[in-house]
């Protein structure tokens, strides 16, 4: 999929697409690197059931990258991921 605008639209309802967009923003792959937007899309992906999204949100909170460092939340996110057997 070449059209980034289409990807952004699909990311609103598709966890896998939100994951792809997040990775693009995190790496600066085809777009300007933007850790805050990456985190927003990882959150959207996690809400949709993406294991990668859950993991990345847990790491962000654990390390305090782009969010306030919180120790309880990463465990909850990781537990949620494990419960999905992903």
């Amino acid at each position: 999929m070449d059209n980034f605008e289409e990807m952004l639209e699909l990311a609103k309802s598709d966890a896998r697409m939100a994951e792809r967009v997040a990775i693009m923003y995190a790496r600066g792959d085809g777009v300007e690197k933007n850790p805050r937007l990456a985190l927003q899309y990882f959150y959207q992906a996690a809400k949709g059931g993406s294991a990668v999204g859950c993991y990345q949100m847990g790491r962000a909170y654990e390390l305090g990258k782009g969010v306030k460092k919180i120790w309880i939340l990463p465990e909850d996110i990781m537990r949620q991921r494990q419960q999905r057997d992903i």
Side-chain angles (χ1 to χ4, degrees):
M1 180 173 288
D2 292 331
N3 190 336
F4 187 65
E5 295 300 320
E6 284 181 36
M7 291 176 73
L8 292 176
E9 188 61 34
L10 288 170
K12 293 177 183 178
S13 60
D14 182 328
R16 294 282 294 157
M17 188 58 69
E19 182 183 305
R20 285 184 66 190
V21 170
I23 291 168
M24 290 173 72
Y25 277 122
R27 295 179 179 165
D29 184 16
V31 296
E32 186 174 337
K33 189 173 183 175
N34 189 325
R36 284 220 176 261
L37 279 176
L39 194 59
Q40 288 176 6
Y41 281 98
F42 279 129
Y43 176 72
Q44 183 71 24
K47 283 187 357 183
S50 162
V52 171
C54 287
Y55 174 79
Q56 292 298 335
M57 288 303 299
R59 291 291 292 166
Y61 279 102
E62 179 183 13
L63 301 173
K65 295 216 173 201
V67 293
K68 185 177 180 182
K69 194 173 192 177
I70 299 175
W71 290 102
I72 296 172
L73 187 57
E75 294 169 3
D76 292 340
I77 291 173
M78 297 302 179
R79 190 176 311 111
Q80 181 181 17
R81 178 177 175 228
Q82 290 170 345
Q83 288 172 351
R84 289 191 178 119
D85 291 327
I86 296 175

